[in-house]
Amino acid sequence: MLDFFKRSSMKNITEKFESIKKTYENLKEYIETNRISVFMEIATTAAAIVTQDDNVYYGVNIKGDCGLGFCAERNALSTMLTAGETKVKYVLCIDRSLSPRLPCGACREYMPQINAENMNAKIVTNLSPLKFVTLKSLLPDWWGYEKIERKNKN
């Protein structure tokens, strides 16, 4: 088995969006459980964030002992933020089953806090046939709208 760090250094962590299918094929390359120390393993899940500017940002999860870790979605979102983007168009996350999975609650909360327009982001739930749910449907009564409204009144 190739070392994850050698393999990942050969990959781009961003690219131009072509299609969900192409993004999925690229995302599968990131899934490979690796124990990087006695405390951590990485890449049991991987995520792709497609922005409104049609850039794709990839990330893998980090599982650490004592509850320390980081989701693949937030890893990809952090890369997006580092590149200066805030608006999410699509989210695709997979685990070792290579099937789409929904972001966890923390990642769902993270996206609209970056930009409230991310509530319109489409999260891939099925690849064949292609199906989505919006982030808004997963957070129907999001608390952040009240804060935005209060801020706009001031």
Side-chain angles (χ1 to χ4, degrees):
M1 180 189 312
L2 292 174
D3 178 73
F4 179 82
F5 293 109
K6 287 181 186 173
R7 284 179 8 106
S8 64
S9 67
M10 295 184 283
K11 297 177 200 164
N12 291 325
I13 57 172
T14 186
E15 65 192 17
K16 275 311 222 183
F17 179 66
E18 294 178 33
S19 69
I20 295 293
K21 183 177 178 173
K22 171 105 167 67
T23 301
Y24 171 73
E25 291 302 319
N26 292 340
L27 191 57
K28 289 192 310 186
E29 296 293 318
Y30 287 91
I31 295 292
E32 181 180 313
T33 303
N34 285 275
R35 182 155 292 281
I36 61 170
S37 76
V38 296
F39 305 103
M40 288 192 157
E41 68 179 8
I42 61 173
T44 59
T45 60
I49 301 294
V50 179
T51 66
Q52 291 297 322
D53 291 339
D54 284 331
N55 292 311
V56 183
Y57 297 95
Y58 293 100
V60 296
N61 71 315
I62 302 165
K63 282 185 172 182
D65 287 353
C66 301
L68 299 175
F70 206 67
C71 294
E73 298 92 331
R74 280 182 280 157
N75 188 343
L77 288 161
S78 295
T79 304
M80 174 194 79
L81 289 169
T82 300
E85 294 192 68
T86 63
K87 295 182 182 177
V88 177
K89 185 192 279 186
Y90 299 113
V91 178
L92 175 57
C93 186
I94 60 173
D95 58 17
R96 288 178 274 191
S97 72
L98 302 181
S99 297
R101 55 182 288 276
L102 293 173
C104 73
C107 291
R108 293 176 197 187
E109 284 287 342
Y110 194 70
M111 283 184 269
Q113 289 186 52
I114 292 170
N115 189 316
E117 291 179 34
N118 290 340
M119 290 296 267
N120 297 316
K122 294 180 180 177
I123 300 165
V124 178
T125 60
N126 196 32
L127 293 162
S128 183
L130 191 57
K131 292 183 182 176
F132 307 94
V133 296
T134 63
L135 181 58
K136 190 176 197 167
S137 71
L138 298 175
L139 294 171
D141 297 318
W142 184 53
W143 61 270
Y145 290 130
E146 289 178 22
K147 186 170 185 174
I148 292 168
E149 191 175 305
R150 281 193 312 270
K151 183 136 179 118
N152 288 336
K153 286 181 181 178
N154 294 332

